[in-house]
Amino acid sequence: MSTSPGTAQGPSPQGTERVRGQNLSRILTLLHRQGPLSRAELTRLCGFNRSTVGALVSELAQLGLAYETEPAAARRVGRPSPLVHANENVAAIAVHPDVDAVTVGLVGLGGKVHRRIRYDAGSLPTVADTVSISRSVVEGMSSELAAMTLIAGIGAAVPALVNSNDGTVLLAPHLNWSDEPLAAELSAGLGLPARAANDANLGSLAESLFGAAVGESDVVYLNGSASGIGGGALVGGVPLRGATGYAGELGHTVVNDAGSLCHCGRRGCLETEVSLSRLLAILGLEHADQDQLEASMAGNSSPELVAESHRQLDLLAAALTDFVNIFNPGVIVLGGFLGVLHSFVPGRLEAAVADGAIGGLGAEVRIRRAALGSELLLVGAAELVFAGLLADPSSAGALPAGVQAWLPASAGEVLPASAGEAVEVPASARGHRTD
Ligand SMILES: [Zn+2]
């Protein structure tokens, strides 16, 4: 940067504004990811002086994005420093359409899931069904919405190839969608800005921020749902994107040459051999989210279930061994029904991967179950919305006041004709991380 000779110039007003915006972003991002922090901790973590932190926290409070509480009395010596919290009532509406259900959640800053409703769709939901179910479910959340400070937008996690720039679903083979402008339709239907991205990528992000892979730079993530197996890899701290953004189709690794035909055209892909539907068939269930699956498997010791879970775990181990050889991850995180399988026969995956991977790599990798459970994809979808707010907290002032605006006029709109049942799912007991 050059300055004119002889004129001592401070930063320009635009430059000062930009730096202030970056500092607000820094503080709000820390509070969102780490949970409540004292002003003293913020001062230490950011390297700003105390008065700067005080001014930034006040500004975040004015924007409705943060608030302060008195610290616990006996916690520290000397002058107590108030605790600063990201405002969990600044929320996103998270939508996860899948072959058996549309799940809708209200997720606050800090990854707090205020409410989660799983709506059994009865048949494959279309984009129009997804929009009308989301709208109806959100209308049913009117009391929670009334308590919110701000609804920052809608985030959708989709089992699909998604153009995450414009939220168009290019191909969702299990939902039978192609070239669907999902984000635009959700935005038009609910009157809020909307974004969409691949579910496995969002799950991977959520586990990196709040779950089993916090602080890890090399991670392989696999999520299993009714729609198959999606994946993602974090390599040196950077999500692997690929040349056109679709890297991570780990579910299409061939594990059985003589296996079933996959929709991708090959035989014996991981997602055709290791599948939720095979487990549900043995359990006599039509559908189940992972909590229901786990409860059902725990109460069943039939030889068929044991044999099928061993078969699936051994094929999963074959694929994981390949991934260990290829990516050399520090951690493998298993979400959805894969996490349930992993817990069902403790140690079986670890032993097979330790045995199979080259050069002892398999003995070092840690295989963990996704920590966010059934909230995983909702927390990930909300990140799509929060990303903009965290990058530019001042933008909160320009957002609409929330969906409350249209609630009274449209309450009572009917659900789609194919409607099944909506199931209230209790929010988990997961607390905020405060370390
Ligand atoms: Zn395939």
Side-chain angles (χ1 to χ4, degrees):
M1 212 169 111
S2 64
T3 52
S4 313
T7 55
Q9 291 186 336
S12 67
Q14 295 89 339
T16 308
E17 188 67 15
R18 192 175 63 245
V19 169
R20 192 184 54 90
Q22 287 166 349
N23 292 349
L24 284 173
S25 169
R26 180 94 189 276
I27 300 236
L28 187 61
T29 302
L30 276 171
L31 297 172
H32 172 59
R33 293 186 178 173
Q34 300 199 17
L37 295 166
S38 69
R39 283 195 187 195
E41 286 166 319
L42 284 169
T43 302
R44 180 175 59 78
L45 289 166
C46 296
F48 305 149
N49 64 42
R50 285 174 53 153
S51 62
T52 302
V53 166
L56 292 166
V57 167
S58 297
E59 185 163 356
L60 288 173
Q62 274 170 14
L63 287 163
L65 300 174
Y67 62 94
E68 289 187 279
T69 55
E70 286 307 311
R75 257 187 73 191
R76 60 197 76 216
V77 184
R79 197 167 132 209
S81 176
L83 268 186
V84 188
H85 308 245
N87 182 358
E88 62 276 7
N89 289 340
V90 169
I93 291 165
V95 175
H96 171 53
D98 207 340
V99 294
D100 52 351
V102 177
T103 305
V104 180
L106 186 64
V107 183
L109 279 178
K112 180 176 171 62
V113 177
H114 292 286
R115 188 123 185 243
R116 175 166 70 98
I117 302 275
R118 186 175 189 274
Y119 188 91
D120 286 336
S123 57
L124 276 189
T126 63
V127 167
D129 292 338
T130 302
V131 172
S132 65
I133 288 171
S134 301
R135 187 173 165 126
S136 295
V137 169
V138 169
E139 282 170 359
M141 295 179 179
S142 53
S143 60
E144 285 85 1
L145 290 172
M148 294 296 122
T149 307
L150 180 73
I151 306 293
I154 306 162
V158 196
L161 293 177
V162 184
N163 180 332
S164 51
N165 293 324
D166 66 4
T168 298
V169 174
L170 297 181
L171 181 67
H174 298 276
L175 289 165
N176 213 6
W177 297 358
S178 67
D179 222 7
E180 295 276 5
L182 176 67
E185 297 284 331
L186 280 169
S187 182
L190 281 84
L192 286 165
R195 297 191 60 195
N198 172 268
D199 60 350
N201 289 342
L202 292 175
S204 161
L205 175 68
E207 286 294 329
S208 297
L209 294 179
F210 301 110
V214 171
E216 299 286 341
S217 59
D218 291 274
V219 180
V220 166
Y221 169 82
L222 276 186
N223 186 63
S225 76
S227 283
I229 296 179
L234 193 67
V235 179
V238 179
L240 189 68
R241 279 181 46 82
T244 49
Y246 302 128
E249 288 295 329
L250 303 177
H252 296 282
T253 305
V254 172
V255 292
N256 179 7
D257 287 336
S260 309
L261 192 63
C262 180
H263 66 82
C264 76
R266 298 204 295 174
R267 261 185 200 287
C269 286
L270 180 64
E271 76 168 32
T272 66
E273 299 299 314
V274 176
S275 86
L276 178 60
S277 61
R278 290 173 188 254
L279 296 171
L280 293 178
I282 290 172
L283 296 166
L285 295 172
E286 264 186 48
H287 42 68
D289 71 9
Q290 71 178 77
D291 297 339
Q292 295 161 333
L293 176 73
E294 184 145 44
S296 181
M297 284 176 72
N300 186 320
S301 54
S302 71
E304 293 98 315
L305 182 63
V306 171
E308 177 61 16
S309 55
H310 284 186
R311 190 190 72 82
Q312 294 204 14
L313 281 165
D314 293 346
L315 291 169
L316 178 59
L320 294 185
T321 301
D322 284 346
F323 304 154
V324 168
N325 289 341
I326 295 165
F327 297 108
N328 184 21
V331 178
I332 295 171
V333 178
L334 300 174
F337 81 88
L338 298 178
V340 176
L341 260 182
H342 177 228
S343 301
F344 189 63
V345 190
R348 191 173 180 100
L349 268 183
E350 281 84 352
V353 172
D355 201 38
I358 198 161
L361 291 180
E364 290 164 23
V365 68
R366 289 154 289 156
I367 301 177
R368 291 181 186 160
R369 184 165 177 183
L372 303 186
S374 342
E375 298 184 345
L376 175 70
L377 297 180
L378 298 182
V379 171
E383 284 302 311
L384 283 175
V385 175
F386 293 146
L389 197 57
L390 294 172
D392 181 13
S394 305
S395 67
L399 284 164
V403 287
Q404 293 95 323
W406 55 255
L407 275 172
S410 61
E413 183 177 318
V414 293
L415 286 163
S418 64
E421 53 173 328
V423 180
E424 174 74 39
V425 191
S428 81
R430 179 171 61 87
H432 287 265
R433 285 165 21 85
T434 52
D435 51 333

